[in-house]
């Protein structure tokens, strides 16, 4: 059990180091870039506090394992204080975060894009906003392939009206290594 924990901790350390390297390459100006890219960004200046994280761990990098029940949570605030119809789609990427040629049905089981229905209105007196939350994978959509992905949120069901993009990783446990320690039988 201890070895399994050490293996998991080592894997997470390497993964976080690589993720920080990717994140460090992004600058503050990456928040407002072309909608053709798959970098993390926010295209609408009225969208604030856009976050993507694993359920139950808001400080961790956005990743989950295939075949497990863990989920990712996407949250953001719309300062326009008007309810909007936000939709999302999930796009599969290659190792360098370029969009692959895979069709959605090759990596998604269920609906490839859907509306964000979890909406909460602020009760603040001075700062009115609408808070949107999405948990995925959900009953409408399951990912079937591991790899790099990004989720793209857009307005009014129109993919050309991109509001924000966030990257995430999907991992797959393919190999299980078991180790044990035993006392040596030879005497020197």
């Amino acid at each position: 059990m201890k070895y399994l924990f050490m293996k998991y901790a080592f894997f997470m350390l390497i993964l976080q180091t690589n993720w920080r390297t990717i994140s460090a390459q992004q600058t503050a100006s990456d928040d407002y870039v072309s909608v053709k890219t798959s970098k993390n960004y926010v295209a609408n200046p009225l969208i604030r506090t856009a976050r993507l994280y694993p359920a139950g761990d808001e400080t961790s990098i956005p990743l989950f394992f295939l075949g497990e029940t863990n989920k990712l949570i996407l949250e953001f605030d719309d300062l326009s204080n008007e309810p909007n119809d936000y939709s999302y789609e999930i796009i599969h990427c290659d190792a360098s975060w370029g969009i692959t040629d895979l069709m959605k049905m090759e990596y998604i089981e269920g609906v490839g894009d859907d509306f964000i229905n979890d909406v909460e209105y602020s009760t603040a007196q001075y700062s009115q906003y609408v808070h949107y939350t999405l948990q995925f994978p959900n009953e409408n959509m399951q990912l079937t392939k591991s790899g790099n992905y990004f989720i793209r949120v857009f307005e009014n069901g129109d993919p050309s009206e991109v509001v924000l993009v966030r990257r995430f990783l999907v991992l797959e446990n393919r190999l299980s290594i078991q180790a044990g320690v035993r006392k040596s039988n030879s005497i020197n």
Side-chain angles (χ1 to χ4, degrees):
M1 184 69 175
K2 183 178 178 182
Y3 177 76
L4 196 59
F5 175 76
M6 288 176 33
K7 182 180 92 168
Y8 179 76
F10 179 74
F11 174 76
M12 292 306 292
L13 176 68
I14 290 187
L15 188 60
Q16 285 181 344
T17 303
N18 289 341
W19 189 263
R20 285 187 187 129
T21 303
I22 292 168
S23 297
Q25 293 170 355
Q26 299 173 356
T27 63
S29 64
D30 284 342
D31 280 351
Y32 301 97
V33 294
S34 165
V35 296
K36 303 270 187 226
T37 183
S38 64
K39 290 183 179 180
N40 285 341
Y41 73 94
V42 177
N44 184 339
L46 293 176
I47 301 298
R48 300 290 171 95
T49 61
R51 301 180 314 150
L52 179 62
Y53 57 89
D57 190 2
E58 295 183 23
T59 60
S60 186
I61 59 175
L63 67 85
F64 72 93
F65 290 89
L66 282 179
E68 294 186 10
T69 59
N70 53 352
K71 296 183 181 300
L72 292 177
I73 297 176
L74 174 69
E75 295 181 316
F76 62 93
D77 296 326
D78 184 346
L79 299 181
S80 71
N81 197 32
E82 298 293 325
N84 286 311
D85 289 328
Y86 288 115
S87 302
Y88 69 93
E89 67 179 340
I90 295 180
I91 310 293
H92 187 264
C93 298
D94 59 21
S96 61
W97 295 96
I99 298 172
T100 63
D101 293 332
L102 292 176
M103 294 178 9
K104 285 185 184 177
M105 62 187 213
E106 293 181 75
Y107 59 90
I108 294 178
E109 183 178 299
V111 181
D113 51 1
D114 202 359
F115 288 98
I116 299 176
N117 296 319
D118 191 353
V119 179
E120 186 178 323
Y121 296 92
S122 71
T123 57
Q125 182 176 359
Y126 298 108
S127 175
Q128 299 292 313
Y129 62 91
V130 181
H131 182 77
Y132 292 86
T133 304
L134 170 69
Q135 280 195 12
F136 68 95
N138 52 41
E139 61 276 353
N140 298 330
M141 182 272 306
Q142 294 288 323
L143 295 171
T144 59
K145 292 200 180 310
S146 58
N148 296 337
Y149 287 86
F150 67 87
I151 183 167
R152 182 166 34 196
V153 176
F154 47 89
E155 260 185 294
N156 304 319
D158 183 1
S160 67
E161 292 185 41
V162 176
V163 173
L164 67 92
V165 171
R166 286 292 180 257
R167 293 178 174 183
F168 65 96
L169 301 171
V170 177
L171 305 176
E172 185 174 5
N173 283 329
R174 289 187 173 184
L175 180 62
S176 176
I177 299 174
Q178 296 181 1
V181 178
R182 24 178 239 175
K183 187 176 178 180
S184 172
N185 291 336
S186 62
I187 300 174
N188 290 335

